[in-house]
Amino acid sequence: MTHTLNEKVYEGVLEQIKAYIENQKLKPGDKLPSERVFSELLQVGRSSIREALRALELLGLIETRRGEGTFMRAYRPYHMVGLLSKFLLNDNRTREELLTAKQMLEKEILLLSAGQLSHVQLEELSRLIPEEQNSQKHQQMFTYLFEQCHHPLLLSMWQFISGFTHTVHDITYTPDMYKRFYHALSNHKSKEHIYSLF
């Protein structure tokens, strides 16, 4: 099967799962069928089901609980799934496009964090500052910032984009850049100063 056909299958599965959720009127906390059941129900391979569910989870629409299954989370606009997945799975995507989208969200959460973090939060952030180019530490640091500033939608969008950029490139910053980010936040630098770091 060609890459283009794979994309069409993936997008089709997303649409069918969205239709299932809407037709069944599933609410936050409701359990979704297993991968096996969805595979039989939609007549597609389990790998396509798994990929579609992963996209929904990265967007924050569903959550997987170990040993229990997959459940609905708080409502998010479903059109975001098709919009973002179609863009991110486009054959013409480039490193620069992915980097720009990811950096825009990371820049925004740094700007939103400026002057808003308590001493305790800054101490915790200092423990999360990567000392080397490490994608896992990068994820932990920015996830913490999104969570502390209470922006779940931005977090979901960032996680979704990060999930796909990770399959192409591990996009991180230099250790010195992370220190500059922290210094700007801990010393209550202006938003203009933070913006200039990029």
Side-chain angles (χ1 to χ4, degrees), residues 46-62:
R46 290 181 66 169
S47 61
S48 296
I49 296 292
R50 190 175 303 118
E51 189 175 359
L53 290 175
R54 179 172 176 268
L56 291 170
E57 185 166 20
L58 286 168
L59 267 181
L61 294 166
I62 62 175

Side-chain angles (χ1 to χ4, degrees), residues 33 38 47 82 122 130 134 136 169 190-192:
F38 260 137
S47 61
L122 286 169
N134 182 309
Q136 185 176 356
H169 299 286
S190 67
K191 292 185 178 183
E192 289 76 15

Side-chain angles (χ1 to χ4, degrees), residues 87-88 90-104 161 165 171:
F87 167 74
L88 291 169
N90 191 308
D91 280 334
N92 297 321
R93 70 174 182 259
T94 64
R95 177 186 171 87
E96 289 73 26
E97 288 172 331
L98 293 168
L99 178 61
T100 298
K102 190 165 180 286
Q103 277 192 340
M104 283 175 63
I161 293 174
T165 58
I171 300 173

Side-chain angles (χ1 to χ4, degrees), residues 25 31-32 53 67 86 96 127 129 156 168 175 184 189 195:
K25 296 181 170 57
K31 187 174 183 179
L32 274 73
L53 290 175
K86 186 169 290 188
E96 289 73 26
R127 288 192 280 270
I129 297 295
S156 294
V168 183
K189 295 291 185 180
Y195 195 86

Side-chain angles (χ1 to χ4, degrees), residues 148-164:
Q148 296 308 304
C149 290
H150 307 292
H151 284 280
L153 180 57
L154 290 182
L155 172 60
S156 294
M157 292 172 65
W158 176 75
Q159 287 176 326
F160 186 69
I161 293 174
S162 294
F164 282 98

